[in-house]
Amino acid sequence: MKLPLICVITLAATCASACGGSDDTATPRRRAYQRIEAYTPDYTAVDSLPVRLLVNSSAVVSRPRRDWVNVNYPRYNATVFISVTETDDRSIADVIANRVERIALNAGDAPTDALDIDNGRFTSTLYDARAAVATPLQFVATDGKSVVISASVFFENANRITSLDSVAPAVETIRRDLTTALDSLDYR
């Protein structure tokens, strides 16, 4: 009589311990994201633009045209395409409207946050698409009189970006660099 009772109690205890509680043991993902090293926040001015623009000194800068600068972040497979448009006070509103329309088209249906920055010389808006898109960061800046600067960050591997988390460190670093550039934007 004691043997069946011990067996029933043992079986009940085994079932209770096997089914109860949560297992907080870490389980590795089948496919891990690589660790992306952030660029250090060290800046240098881009030469020969009509404005003084700071870029990360570790980035590779090229000038395909007189009014265009490409700032490449090789570690992230990302490039910031920056254009400077000199205009006049009669057509500056049209130039800004064109750039804002282009930004909306680049973001698509992604929810976008806007950060306004006014450093006393230039007013800027940094657009941040909070989704896995090829152009997660864009900006437009102006002095309100004769200069419009616009930029778009493009990830070369955009077709492989499946979640924002996979590029979040790169986006954070480039956002920091763009915010620094817009805060310090000035005339030459």
Side-chain angles (χ1 to χ4, degrees):
M1 182 71 170
K2 284 187 176 185
L3 186 60
L5 182 60
I6 291 174
C7 287
V8 169
I9 292 173
T10 305
L11 182 63
T14 303
C15 287
S17 67
C19 297
S22 66
D23 185 10
D24 291 333
T25 305
T27 304
R29 295 180 182 261
R30 281 179 254 153
R31 200 176 103 210
Y33 296 117
Q34 67 183 27
R35 179 174 172 81
I36 301 174
E37 286 291 320
Y39 287 93
T40 58
D42 184 39
Y43 302 98
T44 187
V46 175
D47 292 331
S48 67
L49 280 177
V51 294
R52 182 178 170 273
L53 181 72
L54 295 182
V55 297
N56 192 301
S57 58
S58 297
V60 178
V61 177
S62 63
R63 298 280 314 275
R65 296 193 328 225
R66 187 186 74 76
D67 58 346
W68 193 286
V69 175
N70 295 342
V71 182
N72 184 264
Y73 290 80
R75 199 178 298 161
Y76 303 153
N77 291 322
T79 303
V80 183
F81 296 101
I82 303 170
S83 68
V84 179
T85 305
E86 294 183 273
T87 186
D88 56 42
D89 58 352
R90 290 177 305 222
S91 58
I92 197 164
D94 292 336
V95 172
I96 292 169
N98 175 274
R99 297 305 185 273
V100 171
E101 179 184 19
R102 182 77 239 166
I103 287 169
L105 290 171
N106 287 346
D109 293 334
T112 304
D113 295 337
L115 172 65
D116 293 323
I117 298 171
D118 186 346
N119 68 9
R121 295 165 302 284
F122 286 84
T123 57
S124 313
T125 304
L126 177 62
Y127 297 92
D128 191 342
R130 300 290 181 167
V133 295
T135 54
L137 298 168
Q138 302 176 81
F139 75 75
V140 63
T142 183
D143 65 351
K145 296 177 267 189
S146 64
V147 178
V148 176
I149 303 114
S150 59
S152 181
V153 176
F154 179 75
F155 282 90
E156 302 297 330
N157 58 349
N159 60 338
R160 290 181 281 160
I161 297 173
T162 56
S163 85
L164 188 58
D165 291 346
S166 65
V167 292
V171 171
E172 286 297 322
T173 299
I174 297 171
R175 181 186 301 115
R176 176 201 66 203
D177 291 350
L178 292 179
T179 302
T180 299
L182 295 173
D183 279 337
S184 62
L185 195 58
D186 203 350
Y187 297 104
R188 254 239 176 255

